[in-house]
Amino acid sequence: MLDDLRALVEFAQAGSIARAADRLFRTPSAITRQVQRLEAALGAELLDRSVKPPRLNSLGSRVLEQARDLLQRTEALKSLTSRDAEPHGLLRIGLAHALAEGTLIEPIRALTEKYPKVRVRLSSELTGELIQRLLAGELDVAAVLLPEGKAAPPPLLTNIIASDRMEIVQGAAGNVRGDWKSLGRAPWVLNPPGCFLRASLIDRMERAGFTPMIAAEVHNMHMQLAFVQSGYGVGLLPARFIARNHSIDPVKVLRPPSFDLHRSVAMVRVGELGALGKAVELLAHGFRQLFEAADTPKPVRRHRRVAPANRRAPRPRK
């Protein structure tokens, strides 16, 4: 029926069957059959054939308005699913709590500037909750944190965009040494149970023969950093986050033996997003650039063992 409606619209614009046929690269008889087929489907005559050339009657004019609207909506629907069309419409984005920093505003702003027809709706939740909302169709894409080597459950699609290095830190005035025995005696500020980073740290310490003493369980990284800086305990925080907050109050980074903990930053989405796919690709590119810049070494203070005061320095050779 869409082709028949299109023939009716072209007839109305051209003013005659012959000119409509030229515009649609068809024969006049083909256009005539399409209009007749449309009339049969609707059960009513749309043309006044008592005049030459025929013209739309009053009912045909009302059908014409609806036909134009329907064809416009059909084209909009096609552009929504076409990757070649300009992105438009609502893009529902989820951000894991640990990624919801002010620096991520820049990639989102770049997206809306390049694609002004896209409306963004942001939600910040835990990674597990974002995954469930994606599966339920409540989100289009989410930036989440996953254990290295892991992907979101099917049918979700996972695009790893960066690796987030974790550091063990203490306040600038702290005196905890960078070995597992000292860390086993120190109070810890960690995420609540259920966090895979916490589980990985505890597993590593237990394999070394020690169990962390939990002093605070906090989801918010800024609050965790504030606890660490105040000397309340030792923390486990992303290197990028430490570097960005270094100018406010420096911390010491502790490097116990064989400690190397990373997590993956991933863009997870449902299946094909049509035209919105290009907007998601731009967003992923912006996030990737942020993490690459954050991975550049920053002047964070590292804890080193200090030689005893009574140890004499070696005399220079003569």
Side-chain angles (χ1 to χ4, degrees), residues 13 48 86 113 117 134 209 215 243:
Q13 291 177 342
D48 180 0
E86 180 184 357
E113 283 188 355
K117 294 181 180 179
L134 283 165

Side-chain angles (χ1 to χ4, degrees), residues 143-207:
V144 302
L145 295 163
L146 299 171
E148 278 200 309
K150 301 293 184 180
L156 299 179
L157 304 177
T158 304
N159 175 24
I160 305 297
I161 60 173
S163 179
D164 207 17
R165 189 178 80 254
M166 305 302 295
E167 298 279 22
I168 297 174
V169 292
Q170 66 175 330
N175 58 4
V176 177
R177 296 194 304 273
D179 58 78
W180 292 118
K181 183 177 180 179
S182 299
L183 290 169
R185 294 195 299 259
W188 280 84
V189 179
L190 295 174
N191 285 337
C195 169
F196 67 86
L197 291 173
R198 169 187 169 132
S200 298
L201 174 70
I202 292 176
D203 176 69
R204 180 64 187 84
M205 291 188 69
E206 288 179 344
R207 282 189 283 115

Side-chain angles (χ1 to χ4, degrees), residues 61-216:
S61 297
R62 294 199 298 274
V63 170
L64 176 66
E65 293 179 10
Q66 296 293 324
R68 284 173 171 159
D69 181 65
L70 181 59
L71 291 173
Q72 288 175 353
R73 290 176 181 273
T74 301
E75 290 304 312
L77 187 61
K78 288 181 179 178
S79 68
L80 184 66
T81 59
S82 171
R83 290 185 61 84
D84 296 329
E86 180 184 357
H88 63 280
L90 177 64
L91 180 59
R92 302 165 299 173
I93 303 172
L95 286 175
H97 280 324
L99 295 175
E101 299 182 51
T103 52
L104 294 188
I105 293 299
E106 182 58 30
I108 295 171
R109 184 189 63 80
L111 184 157
T112 54
E113 283 188 355
K114 183 168 183 177
Y115 301 120
K117 294 181 180 179
V118 173
R119 293 181 293 112
V120 170
R121 181 186 297 163
L122 291 173
S123 301
S124 178
E125 297 179 68
L126 298 175
T127 289
E129 294 169 349
L130 293 174
I131 295 293
Q132 291 303 314
R133 292 192 65 188
L134 283 165
L135 290 170
E138 297 174 2
L139 292 174
D140 300 307
V141 64
V144 302
L145 295 163
L146 299 171
E148 278 200 309
K150 301 293 184 180
L156 299 179
L157 304 177
T158 304
N159 175 24
I160 305 297
I161 60 173
S163 179
D164 207 17
R165 189 178 80 254
M166 305 302 295
E167 298 279 22
I168 297 174
V169 292
Q170 66 175 330
N175 58 4
V176 177
R177 296 194 304 273
D179 58 78
W180 292 118
K181 183 177 180 179
S182 299
L183 290 169
R185 294 195 299 259
W188 280 84
V189 179
L190 295 174
N191 285 337
C195 169
F196 67 86
L197 291 173
R198 169 187 169 132
S200 298
L201 174 70
I202 292 176
D203 176 69
R204 180 64 187 84
M205 291 188 69
E206 288 179 344
R207 282 189 283 115
F210 305 99
T211 301
M213 180 176 65
I214 310 299

Side-chain angles (χ1 to χ4, degrees), residues 34-47 49 57:
Q34 284 188 280
V35 173
Q36 290 173 342
R37 188 165 57 231
L38 180 62
E39 289 177 319
L42 297 177
E45 290 189 358
L46 304 178
L47 301 187
R49 293 179 174 84
N57 57 28

